[in-house]
Amino acid sequence: MFKFTKLIILMLSCLILVYCNQKSIDSSDFQDRFALTEEDGLVIPLDSVSPPKAPFIQLLEEDNILTFFNAYNTSIYWYDLSQNEYLERTVLTSEGENQVLRPVGYHILNRDSIFVFDMLKNDLVLLNDKGKKLSVTSLINNAPMNDNNWILSYPQFFPKTVTPFIKVDNKLVFSGSFMWAIPDNILNSFKFTASLSLDNNEIVYNHSYPKTIYGSKFNWDDPYYTTVHYDWNPIEKLMVYSFPISNSLFTASLESEDLNEIKALESGSKTVKPISNKRPTREMMLNHLIESDIYAGIKFDKYKNVYYRVLMNGLSDTGGFKDLSGKSISIIIYDHKFNLLGKTNIGTLKNWNVDNMMVSQDGLLIEYIDFQSSNEDYMIFKLFKLIENEN
């Protein structure tokens, strides 16, 4: 059982396509049968050079260890949740034979096998916990980084806690994105999910953007719109994809190119319409994002056999906002067959870092940011437990 650190903080004020089966879910008679309730949280003390909102976190649940990346000193921190203490950190160096020029995300198999993504070179670097480089695998077939043609053939990766590397049998699976408007001539050939064989380091790419929501007839010329949110269902052996601009979900096998669309999932959400202006300004793009319902991360809870999906609700009026912080956050709950079970509003993006969202045996963990406090000595996660509503 995953133990939560119950520290009391003094005065802390307080993401070749072929459509096969399209499944439609009727949510017209939907009633919230389940909800998420906030319970005791997880509190990690930080040193003087570690800020909240770590760009990448991995929970090693079997070992009861939480790890996170500190971009300030390019280190992976290991925190023992059982003993409430830090272990020796893994330092990543940008020089010498063990260099990783721009580490962004990582996946720890064990202390002798840590895969680190080098965004500057598009390499997956295998290290041990001492930072010693063991091997390097190019994710763009060794194409020169200054040759932009690789962008048309390979996804750009920016791993986050909510879009992690996932170990599936003898593979490491992870998805990237095409960062701007997707040209029609690559819509069928561009594949965003990589499967790295842990036996021979060979990489296979599969799964393409759905034609029903992407292509030249849609104006999605911003990375926010094309981000691929995903998770793996180990019970059904399926990848589940959530795209920011569609309330549909898509599922796929790692052995197939086919994506299956599950339509009309969420009751009450508005269809996100493309921007009508062919050359929108950055301000127009921002206002569109603020005013639209935008979907974000999706996580499968193998303990409860349910899905949690983030919806950033649109504002009817931008209200002078210059960022997305005013958008309220709903967590949508589906069962394993994608029947709608409930929806819980947890607050706004100002207080919730939904990029740092994880599932543990105890429930759903989401990083909480307390802007009423100037104290940055802790990284705080709120725990949400699934409950059945009383009728």
Side-chain angles (χ1 to χ4, degrees), residues 271-335:
T271 300
V272 185
K273 297 179 180 180
I275 297 175
S276 56
N277 191 302
K278 293 296 182 182
R279 297 183 180 225
T281 64
R282 299 309 300 169
E283 183 179 3
M284 292 172 63
M285 280 283 195
L286 176 60
N287 288 340
H288 186 262
L289 284 167
I290 293 173
E291 294 169 352
S292 301
D293 284 0
I294 301 292
Y295 291 90
I298 185 165
K299 302 305 295 181
F300 178 68
D301 184 339
K302 64 182 180 181
Y303 305 106
K304 301 290 190 298
N305 206 16
V306 298
Y307 294 92
Y308 309 112
R309 189 187 193 190
V310 174
L311 172 61
M312 300 184 291
N313 296 282
L315 298 175
S316 56
D317 185 347
T318 60
F321 281 102
K322 301 300 182 183
D323 55 35
L324 306 184
S325 63
K327 292 173 76 74
S328 66
I329 303 300
S330 296
I331 307 298
I332 307 166
I333 309 159
Y334 311 115
D335 69 13

Side-chain angles (χ1 to χ4, degrees), residues 32-70:
D32 285 308
R33 291 172 45 211
F34 288 82
L36 293 170
T37 182
E38 188 178 318
E39 303 281 338
D40 286 343
L42 175 64
V43 181
I44 307 295
L46 299 173
D47 63 19
S48 60
V49 293
S50 297
K53 300 183 70 171
F56 198 90
I57 295 169
Q58 184 183 355
L59 178 63
L60 307 176
E61 202 163 6
E62 290 184 1
D63 299 320
N64 212 24
I65 288 174
L66 185 140
T67 69
F68 65 89
F69 180 64
N70 184 344

Side-chain angles (χ1 to χ4, degrees), residues 183-378:
D184 283 353
N185 63 335
I186 68 167
L187 193 54
N188 287 337
S189 60
F190 184 87
K191 304 184 192 311
F192 49 69
T193 292
S195 298
L196 171 73
S197 170
L198 298 175
D199 296 329
N200 55 24
N201 282 354
E202 291 184 358
I203 298 177
V204 174
Y205 286 92
N206 51 19
H207 304 155
S208 300
Y209 281 98
K211 286 182 179 179
T212 53
I213 53 177
Y214 290 102
S216 61
K217 60 183 176 179
F218 304 109
N219 189 6
W220 301 127
D221 198 11
D222 188 279
Y224 222 103
Y225 299 120
T226 57
T227 299
V228 180
H229 294 282
Y230 59 91
D231 204 3
W232 171 253
N233 182 330
I235 300 172
E236 303 289 338
K237 304 290 185 183
L238 288 174
M239 289 290 287
V240 180
Y241 295 111
S242 170
F243 298 99
I245 45 81
S246 176
N247 57 3
S248 289
L249 285 171
F250 297 80
T251 65
S253 163
L254 289 175
E255 283 70 45
S256 172
E257 291 298 330
D258 303 344
L259 263 66
N260 300 320
E261 182 176 4
I262 299 95
K263 302 180 71 174
L265 283 164
E266 207 275 298
S267 176
S269 66
K270 301 181 287 292
T271 300
V272 185
K273 297 179 180 180
I275 297 175
S276 56
N277 191 302
K278 293 296 182 182
R279 297 183 180 225
T281 64
R282 299 309 300 169
E283 183 179 3
M284 292 172 63
M285 280 283 195
L286 176 60
N287 288 340
H288 186 262
L289 284 167
I290 293 173
E291 294 169 352
S292 301
D293 284 0
I294 301 292
Y295 291 90
I298 185 165
K299 302 305 295 181
F300 178 68
D301 184 339
K302 64 182 180 181
Y303 305 106
K304 301 290 190 298
N305 206 16
V306 298
Y307 294 92
Y308 309 112
R309 189 187 193 190
V310 174
L311 172 61
M312 300 184 291
N313 296 282
L315 298 175
S316 56
D317 185 347
T318 60
F321 281 102
K322 301 300 182 183
D323 55 35
L324 306 184
S325 63
K327 292 173 76 74
S328 66
I329 303 300
S330 296
I331 307 298
I332 307 166
I333 309 159
Y334 311 115
D335 69 13
H336 67 291
K337 296 297 184 183
F338 300 104
N339 295 301
L340 194 58
L341 297 180
K343 181 167 68 172
T344 301
N345 189 287
I346 64 171
T348 68
L349 275 176
K350 180 178 180 180
N351 292 112
W352 295 99
N353 180 16
V354 292
D355 284 339
N356 280 346
M357 182 170 77
M358 305 173 288
V359 171
S360 78
Q361 186 173 348
D362 291 274
L364 182 67
L365 290 163
I366 307 177
E367 185 179 15
Y368 177 75
I369 308 297
D370 187 358
F371 280 96
Q372 292 183 339
S373 171
S374 60
N375 194 327
E376 293 191 348
D377 293 339
Y378 301 91

